[in-house]
Amino acid sequence: MPLSAQPPASGEPYVLTASLDNARHLSSLLRAVHFRDHATCFATANGLRVTVEDAKCIQANAFIQAEIFQEFAVQEETVTFRINLSVLLDCLTIFGTSSLPGTSTALRMCYRGYGCPLMLFLEEGGVVTVCKINTQEPDELLDFDFCSTKVVNKIILQSEGLREAFSELDMTSEVLQITTSPDKPYFRLSTFGNAGSAHLDYPRDSDLMEAFHCNQTQTNRYKISLLKPSTKALALSCKVSIRTDAQGFLSLQYMIRNEDGQICFVEYYCCPDEDITEAEL
Amino acid sequence: SGVINTIAKLARACTLRLTAGKLYFILSDKVANGGVGMWCEVCQGNFFDEFQMEGVAPEHNEIYLELVPENLSRALKTAQSAKTVKIKLTNKHCPCLRVAVELPSLSSSSRIVTHDIPVGVIPRRLWNDFREPSVPDFDVSIYLPALKTMKSVVERMKNLSNSIVIEANLSGEMNLKIETDLVSVTTHFKDLGNPPWASEDGCQSSAQDRDLESMAEARIDIKKLQQLLAGQQVNPTKALCNIVSKRIVHFILLHEDVSLQYFIPALA
């Protein structure tokens, strides 16, 4: 059953068709935002965006631009649907998750529109798997309205500097406190757990620091349980940008290079837990 | 120990039948009521340098024991780097398989670690319960696809559904299917080949007159299939399954020195 010759069974055209030679380019990014079962997918001519939200406080977006796909065609301006992300990931990785050199799963995705299931055709080594995943009504999503003009502080770091820190965060602390400042301590991560407080400082002249634009001293706290899933995106990424606005909203943008060297982005937005805008040194 | 580990994964308790030439691990867990059946045959010559046994009586030179394979598996773990391993059936306070493992040591005298694994002796009057199951009158017999691929697919499908449908035809095609409210997934395998079965009495079996494209199918418990596949660490020399439509799937996995048959009944 050649992947490229899938006729629409009921005669209706597909509003979304996409082909990818290596399904891992999609599945690894989706795993980086997989902290709830459900996700909302948006397809436009620019590509695919998959959004996951929790507690009305945190939102993660994975962007896979059209150029990553071998074929990406959208017949309407925006195609939107809600889908079970756990099921989608199980289907995308049906042939296993280990990335053996030289083997990859080819993917073709088709969607006929509102009320129809998402069809996946996956092929590896001559074996074909066909998946039909039911879709739901898309949810209302949060709009963090985070644009570059409102950014107060911005830091770009090489991810390797943060990876250890994030994977060893003291989870007995309810919050992760992030301090960014033009003065010492420049960039500080703090936790307040059962064993005491822990502070991790990054000097502005560190090798890991790629850009440092801080206009004000800002200290904000975020629920650590909400931010912890971002560790997955951090693990995949080569660079991360950390931005805060005047209200203390946090934007983490991860630049991820896939197996073929192409760049994709994952971003996490988080509301502050308490508003502490004054310096707390 | 590889064989024991595989058996341990498939059965909590099973019957060990010892004959002069072979060891058999048998599980006949009320197949009629939905339990799986297992028959694993091992030539003692392939594993033991010395093998001595005396059965119940000269004309019934066999011993049947009830055994928890996990216990034997754990005992054999200590034998990974052993110089010698001796297994004896003893009856001190109760019947036991005594596994004596001689370990290498720095001093001239060696260390011996002994495990006593309790076993139950099965009386001869019950031996009939453990006869070799006959190959069922199947609708389709087909070689299995690469176990590694089958393992990955079944593992993922296990996350999505409790039951799986195996269907195959005499044109070498096999499909694995799951279907729930949320999702349906079908994996298509082709060009698998159908094993030639010589009919014993020369007459047509039910499989002979069959339309080559028509699928025989059975819906089985996905966990049981996953357990069987997970236990296969090494690729078998031959792997095939026989499907009796809507009744049972009979798997045969042949390695150089072990043959394993596994019966998974269809779900009601």
Side-chain angles (χ1 to χ4, degrees), chain B residues 13-15 17 23 26 42 51 58-59 64 96 100 111-112 120 123 159 161 176 186 189 193 214 234 238-239 250:
Chain B
C14 70
T15 301
R17 171 185 168 204
L23 278 77
I26 305 165
V42 163
F51 190 85
E59 50 308 345
Y64 282 68
C96 275
R111 286 186 301 140
I112 300 192
N159 293 341
S161 166
L176 296 176
T186 305
F189 296 95
S214 140
V234 183
K238 260 209 172 92
H250 172 214

Side-chain angles (χ1 to χ4, degrees), chain A residues 206-273:
Chain A
S206 151
D207 281 341
L208 302 163
M209 207 62 86
E210 289 223 352
F212 193 93
H213 306 289
C214 291
N215 300 311
Q216 262 179 45
T217 299
Q218 285 190 305
T219 301
N220 291 295
R221 293 178 174 199
Y222 307 92
K223 275 211 164 41
I224 208 170
S225 56
L226 295 179
L227 276 185
K228 182 74 178 169
S230 68
T231 315
K232 280 193 264 202
L234 184 61
L236 286 178
S237 65
C238 46
K239 272 192 238 187
V240 54
S241 107
I242 303 164
R243 303 179 301 163
T244 41
D245 69 6
Q247 275 76 47
F249 282 76
L250 174 68
S251 149
L252 299 165
Q253 286 181 321
Y254 302 90
M255 178 196 240
I256 296 172
R257 214 178 278 276
N258 70 19
E259 283 164 41
D260 291 344
Q262 298 161 308
I263 305 276
C264 288
F265 287 93
V266 166
E267 57 187 22
Y268 272 73
Y269 291 118
C270 196
C271 304
D273 197 40

Side-chain angles (χ1 to χ4, degrees), chain A residues 6-17 75-76 79 81 109-119 121 132 135:
Chain A
Q6 283 306 313
S10 61
E12 269 179 61
Y14 291 115
V15 300
L16 166 64
T17 39
Q75 302 308 325
E76 293 165 8
V79 173
F81 53 85
M109 268 195 325
C110 305
Y111 178 62
R112 252 191 253 286
Y114 183 74
C116 298
L118 177 68
M119 304 286 302
F121 302 89
K132 223 162 54 149
T135 60

